[in-house]
Amino acid sequence: MSGDKETMSRVDYFLLKRPLNNDVFCGVSGIIKQFDQKVFLAILDVLGHGEAAHQVAQVCEDFLEKNYGDDLAQIMTNLDKHIKGTRGAVAGLCILDLERGKVKCVGTGNVTVRKFGSSNIRIIPRGGIIGYQMRTPIEERMNLYHGDILVLHTDGVMEHFDLEDYPEILVDDAKTIATQIIALFGKEHDDACCIALRYQK
C-alpha cells in the first residue's frame, strides 16, 4: 500500500492505493494538489491490470500533475485526447474551494464520489471510457460544511456501503477513513484507490 497525507487548518486528506494481489504494478492512481486556497483531487482506473495498465496510469498521472489548475471539464477532455489509442481509463476529478466549501466534480465511467456528514450525496458520473469513447463531461456541484467527508474511490471498492456499515467515518481522520474503506469494502480481485478528505471550517 502507498499513501500521501497533508493536513491544513481547513482540511485533512489522504490518498491510498492497493494493487491487486499486492503486485508491484498498479492500474489505479490518484493525485491531490493544494494551490491558491483550493484542493484538486483525482482518482483514475485504467482498464485491466498489471504492468500495461500501470504504464497508462502513469501517463494519466503525469498529465494531471501538469494540468490540475485547468477547468475540470477541460482537463477530462484533454486527458481523453492525451491517451487515445491506449486501453483507456475512467476517472473522477474534484476541486474544493477551501474558503467557501464549494466542490466541483466531473466523472467519467465507474468511479464514485460521495459526501458524508451534513447530508449524504452521491455524484453520478457520465458513462464512457477516457481515451476510447467518452461523453461530454458535465460538472456537478456540492457544498461541504464543517466536519463533512468527501470520498472518491475506484470500482475496486464496493459502491454501495452506507453509514451503518462504517459509522466511524463521521469521526475518523482522513488516513483512517481511506484505509478502512479499502480494508472493509475493497474487492479482492481488483486494484483499488481511495481518497478521503475531511473539511473543517
Side-chain angles (χ1 to χ4, degrees):
M1 290 190 177
S2 62
D4 179 35
K5 180 173 184 178
E6 179 74 19
T7 302
M8 298 161 42
S9 60
R10 289 201 174 104
V11 71
D12 171 33
Y13 50 73
F14 194 82
L15 162 66
L16 187 64
K17 297 185 289 185
R18 187 210 62 193
L20 171 67
N21 297 327
N22 292 316
D23 196 350
V24 173
F25 301 106
C26 192
V28 297
S29 190
I31 72 168
I32 304 174
K33 290 291 183 180
Q34 185 262 322
F35 66 104
D36 299 336
Q37 288 300 303
K38 297 177 183 177
V39 180
F40 173 81
L41 314 165
I43 56 166
L44 62 94
D45 188 355
V46 175
L47 276 63
H49 307 285
E51 185 173 4
H54 174 78
Q55 290 174 350
V56 178
Q58 286 300 119
V59 171
C60 294
E61 185 176 330
D62 291 345
F63 176 86
L64 293 173
E65 288 275 359
K66 297 173 183 175
N67 296 279
Y68 63 85
D70 296 344
D71 171 79
L72 290 184
Q74 194 63 51
I75 294 172
M76 191 74 81
T77 298
N78 289 340
L79 179 60
D80 176 61
K81 296 175 182 176
H82 189 66
I83 64 167
K84 285 288 187 189
T86 70
R87 58 180 54 203
V90 298
L93 314 176
C94 294
I95 191 159
L96 165 64
D97 183 321
L98 289 170
E99 290 289 340
R100 299 186 296 165
K102 294 187 179 296
V103 182
K104 299 176 183 178
C105 303
V106 170
T108 295
N110 53 345
V111 293
T112 298
V113 179
R114 299 179 67 181
K115 178 181 117 171
F116 298 90
S118 59
S119 61
N120 297 327
I121 297 174
R122 183 189 303 269
I123 297 295
I124 306 299
R126 304 216 78 190
I129 299 172
I130 304 164
Y132 176 67
Q133 191 172 34
M134 189 184 80
R135 298 169 65 186
T136 302
I138 293 180
E139 187 177 276
E140 304 279 354
R141 300 187 179 202
M142 70 172 85
N143 292 326
L144 295 186
Y145 301 96
H146 181 79
D148 280 349
I149 301 97
L150 183 66
V151 172
L152 293 75
H153 65 75
T154 61
D155 74 338
V157 174
M158 291 186 297
E159 182 181 355
H160 299 291
F161 67 88
D162 292 305
L163 279 175
E164 56 263 32
D165 301 313
Y166 177 28
E168 294 84 5
I169 195 171
L170 297 178
V171 295
D172 283 345
D173 61 42
K175 180 178 180 179
T176 302
I177 292 170
T179 303
Q180 285 293 92
I181 285 175
I182 288 183
L184 294 172
F185 312 116
K187 298 177 183 178
E188 183 178 352
H189 302 295
D190 202 356
D191 299 321
C193 181
C194 179
I195 291 176
L197 178 148
R198 179 179 294 282
Y199 182 68
Q200 311 199 48
K201 188 172 183 179

